[in-house]
Amino acid sequence: MVEKYNSSWYKIETPEGVIGYLCTDYLVKYTGEETDEPEEEEENSEKYKTTTDVNFRSGPSTSYTKIGTVPEGTIVTLIEKYSSSWYKIKTPEGTVGYLHTDYLVKYDGSENGSGNGGSTTNVSYMQVTASSGLWMRDNPSGNKVTLLNYGTVLILLDNSNPEWTRVKTTDDVYTGYVSSEYITEYTPSSVGNVGISSNGATIPQYSTFYVKADSSSSSLIWSTEDASIATVNSGFIYGAGIGTTNVYLKDLAGNVKATFKITVTTPEAARFAYAAPVEGAEDGTYQFVAVTDNSKSSLRFVTDSGETFTATSYTGESYENNSVRVFKTTGKLSEGEHKIKVYADNTNNYKEFTVLVSGSNDPFVSSTEERMASVKIVETIASFEGYVPSVTPDTLAYNVPTLGYGYVVYKNTIFYNHLTKSEALAMLYQTINEGVFTTSINSLIDKYDIEMNQNQFDSLISFAYNVGTAWTSSSYIRTMLLNCADYTQISFPADASVLFGTGIYTSYEGGSYVATLTAGTDITVLEMYVDGYQKLWYKVSTGSEEGWLRGGNITFDGGFTRDLNYMDAQMFAYRLLEWHVAGGKCWPGLLYRRLAEAKIFLYGNYAEASASAPNYKYNTYKFQYPSCMSSYQ
């Protein structure tokens, strides 16, 4: 030996004269006689107790050899505090090795020892109080580790720093620091029977499954039997590796309240895939896009007619622990519906998606053909929603889990978490065009022979994505769509009736009040007036009274062509603007989104529809606002 560098490493010289360092774990003192007895370690009087069964290693990291397992409750002797994460200790049997400090508490001879970093105890818990969630960091003010939801219960490890508290999640998955300002002491309560939304699922590797407990008690812990297959955080189960394991919901005493069986299969050929027309191309050229995990090297996009478009180049992206590859290529598609299959490398596994190619490139030409959301509206919706890479409670929607660009995670849903921006955009394309939003609008078109242009379709897609699709079954908006007549095909006078209760006036410019007509009143339409902004008025007669009313407020008797290019702009915009309420409260942000959707529907004005546009909040076309929001007009 040349020098004792520290208790773990000695500087030595070999018989050949080579000088270097050896770990003391693999050295014994040599006195000239053969012996297997190690050199006596320096000890101090500090004792620690293990809080769970913990791996015992030959060195201070998980890359070192596992010596064995130290059982929960074992009292060990400290030899050296190698770092804040690893202590060199000696077991009661005299074996020397390293234990991670997350699983140690200081032992003072009593049944409950004190914490290893301050006034922490083995039975102390903290709870997150931040309504929008709280980031755990790897060090005080350091890098983000994971977002902890409001109400999450944490195990206290060290509260000696008044500003930052060291904690770990109750499932032992994450350890780090949180701001002391947004946590409070928590006392576990007893938990009765607990049900969960599902007892099992099969998911592809790298995806996440959301299982929800029917109890909101904070005294519940999610844990996993094998973290190499699945990890769990607040009911979000991540498929880490291929295989089957159990996920448990326990109370803080360790009693199992529910069991969930998770099977993780091979990764999907593609997580998300879509096709969009290339801007400026009028020959049916589309760009094909797919997002995969980082193991794929090439993709094949195969059409239902057998054409194949291959993508061999990709862009790598990552966020948190998620790494993806974004593949792109181009190809031509003919008018109509196409089923596209995406194959990865040389496998037979594929992901399928649908493309609807319109017969017209003019966004103002109406027809009864089925449509898909345009590139413009998808990008506009993204600007409305904002990018949220990881699952986060939506505070405006009763803390419903949300991520990406407004994607709602319902219970028993399989999804991908920690999304890159390209991945989130691809998910938005797929969610809109493969989901209920496009289907619901196309169903209206098919069922009622509604002629609609691309701008109008896009506007309704954005509206549905924000408020849901229930309005397509019953709402003033639906009523206006079904009663929007091509007035160029109607001969006056024409029989009609009133849709909504309204007043009639002496002039289409307003004039003097004449009378009030209730919904369902029979009328005769005498003539019409429409200005340059498609604001429509009809002059009507009840037999005893004559006056002018809004064009969007009547329905013609008999057959007529439903064509949204003849929609009364003022009335339709007003009905859209009424949808600005959430949670019983009026929201200016929702009002401005409705304004943007009206601009798109009526005038194809996408330029002012983006949330970042200078005139986004400007009432360019002088629409009438609901009285509760008149101050914003």
Side-chain angles (χ1 to χ4, degrees), residues 464-477:
Y465 191 75
N466 183 229
V467 306
T469 59
W471 65 269
T472 62
S473 298
S474 176
S475 67
Y476 286 151
I477 297 294

Side-chain angles (χ1 to χ4, degrees), residues 37 170 176 183 196 214 349 383 439 483 542 579:
E37 293 299 317
T170 52
I183 55 174
I196 53 178
D214 61 15
N349 297 327
S383 77
T439 302
N483 291 280
T542 64
W579 290 72

Side-chain angles (χ1 to χ4, degrees), residues 63-78:
S63 62
Y64 281 87
T65 305
K66 178 181 171 182
I67 299 173
T69 301
V70 180
E72 178 181 354
T74 302
I75 310 303
V76 297
T77 303
L78 177 69

Side-chain angles (χ1 to χ4, degrees), residues 125-413:
Y125 297 92
M126 307 300 289
Q127 188 173 33
V128 175
T129 60
S131 60
S132 59
L134 178 64
W135 281 104
M136 176 188 286
R137 299 178 182 274
D138 58 0
N139 284 296
S141 301
N143 297 320
K144 295 174 181 177
V145 174
T146 188
L147 182 66
L148 304 168
N149 295 335
Y150 170 81
T152 299
V153 174
L154 304 165
I155 298 173
L156 178 62
L157 298 177
D158 183 352
N159 60 2
S160 59
N161 184 333
E163 295 183 356
W164 292 91
T165 301
R166 189 165 183 259
V167 296
K168 70 175 177 179
T169 55
T170 52
D171 57 8
D172 290 335
V173 174
Y174 299 104
T175 299
Y177 293 82
V178 296
S179 172
S180 304
E181 182 179 353
Y182 300 105
I183 55 174
T184 188
E185 291 183 4
Y186 175 77
T187 302
S189 58
S190 60
V191 180
N193 294 327
V194 178
I196 53 178
S197 58
S198 175
N199 294 319
T202 298
I203 64 174
Q205 189 179 11
Y206 310 125
S207 68
T208 297
F209 186 89
Y210 177 38
V211 59
K212 188 175 182 180
D214 61 15
S215 171
S216 59
S217 173
S218 299
S219 298
L220 291 170
I221 305 170
W222 289 96
S223 63
T224 181
E225 191 173 66
D226 189 341
S228 69
I229 295 175
T231 60
V232 60
N233 183 16
S234 301
F236 294 99
I237 303 170
Y238 172 70
I242 297 171
T244 299
T245 190
N246 289 320
V247 172
Y248 301 110
L249 185 60
K250 303 178 182 179
D251 61 21
L252 293 178
N255 300 308
V256 176
K257 296 296 181 178
T259 302
F260 182 93
K261 184 178 180 181
I262 186 74
T263 297
V264 182
T265 60
T266 56
E268 291 187 278
R271 298 183 183 183
F272 306 104
Y274 67 94
V278 174
E279 186 175 2
E282 298 185 0
D283 58 353
T285 300
Y286 274 67
Q287 182 177 65
F288 298 89
V289 181
V291 181
T292 75
D293 62 75
N294 63 2
S295 69
K296 308 297 190 292
S297 58
S298 67
L299 296 181
R300 290 173 288 128
F301 296 84
V302 182
T303 71
D304 42 14
S305 62
E307 289 184 279
T308 299
F309 309 111
T310 302
T312 56
S313 60
Y314 59 83
T315 302
E317 294 182 355
S318 63
Y319 181 84
E320 300 287 347
N321 63 342
N322 175 40
S323 296
V324 298
R325 292 176 176 179
V326 182
F327 290 84
K328 296 180 180 180
T329 189
T330 58
K332 292 183 179 181
L333 295 175
S334 58
E335 179 184 347
E337 180 179 299
H338 299 270
K339 298 289 186 181
I340 311 294
K341 293 179 179 179
V342 185
Y343 294 88
D345 299 324
N346 294 316
T347 69
N348 291 322
N349 297 327
Y350 65 86
K351 186 177 188 68
E352 187 174 72
F353 66 96
T354 303
V355 182
L356 290 174
V357 181
S358 174
S360 172
N361 291 319
D362 188 337
F364 292 94
V365 173
S366 61
S367 71
T368 57
E369 66 179 337
E370 292 189 354
R371 298 177 181 273
M372 297 183 72
S374 71
V375 173
K376 286 183 179 180
I377 199 60
V378 173
E379 292 175 348
T380 301
I381 292 172
S383 77
F384 291 154
E385 298 290 345
Y387 166 58
V388 179
S390 303
V391 170
T392 304
D394 186 344
T395 55
L396 295 184
Y398 310 101
N399 289 322
V400 172
T402 309
L403 86 159
Y405 292 107
Y407 180 84
V408 177
V409 180
Y410 296 102
K411 62 183 180 182
N412 303 338
T413 296

Side-chain angles (χ1 to χ4, degrees), residues 158 433 559 601 609:
D158 183 352
N433 284 325
F601 185 101

Side-chain angles (χ1 to χ4, degrees), residues 439-620:
T439 302
S440 63
I441 310 301
N442 280 326
S443 294
L444 280 178
I445 293 173
D446 292 340
K447 186 174 182 179
Y448 298 103
D449 288 327
I450 300 175
E451 296 195 8
M452 183 184 302
N453 68 36
Q454 186 65 51
N455 301 326
Q456 293 153 356
F457 185 87
D458 283 352
S459 172
L460 295 176
I461 287 290
S462 174
F463 180 60
Y465 191 75
N466 183 229
V467 306
T469 59
W471 65 269
T472 62
S473 298
S474 176
S475 67
Y476 286 151
I477 297 294
R478 178 183 186 273
T479 298
M480 291 195 69
L481 297 180
L482 299 190
N483 291 280
C484 182
D486 177 357
Y487 48 70
T488 66
Q489 298 182 17
I490 295 176
S491 300
F492 300 115
D495 293 334
S497 59
V498 176
L499 284 175
F500 318 109
T502 183
I504 58 174
Y505 301 88
T506 58
S507 169
Y508 55 75
E509 295 177 344
S512 301
Y513 168 80
V514 175
T516 297
L517 305 183
T518 58
T521 299
D522 290 330
I523 56 177
T524 300
V525 181
L526 304 174
E527 58 180 298
M528 59 164 285
Y529 170 79
V530 60
D531 69 9
Y533 289 107
Q534 193 55 35
K535 295 177 181 179
L536 176 65
W537 291 82
Y538 288 116
K539 186 176 183 180
V540 302
S541 171
T542 64
S544 59
E545 305 281 357
E546 285 189 5
W548 291 82
L549 56 67
R550 285 285 181 195
N553 214 355
I554 73 167
T555 179
F556 287 98
D557 294 350
F560 56 86
T561 300
R562 296 183 176 93
D563 191 332
L564 302 190
N565 278 350
Y566 300 93
M567 180 67 75
D568 173 18
Q570 187 71 274
M571 189 79 171
F572 184 79
Y574 181 81
R575 291 304 186 192
L576 264 184
L577 291 164
E578 287 181 316
W579 290 72
H580 63 268
V581 179
K585 181 180 177 181
C586 295
W587 293 95
L590 290 178
L591 180 81
Y592 295 134
R593 179 163 180 168
R594 300 290 89 84
L595 177 63
E597 289 160 354
K599 290 176 180 179
I600 293 171
F601 185 101
L602 296 162
Y603 311 113
N605 188 350
Y606 293 87
E608 292 187 10
S610 172
S612 60
N615 286 342
Y616 174 65
K617 299 180 180 180
Y618 184 62
N619 188 6
T620 306

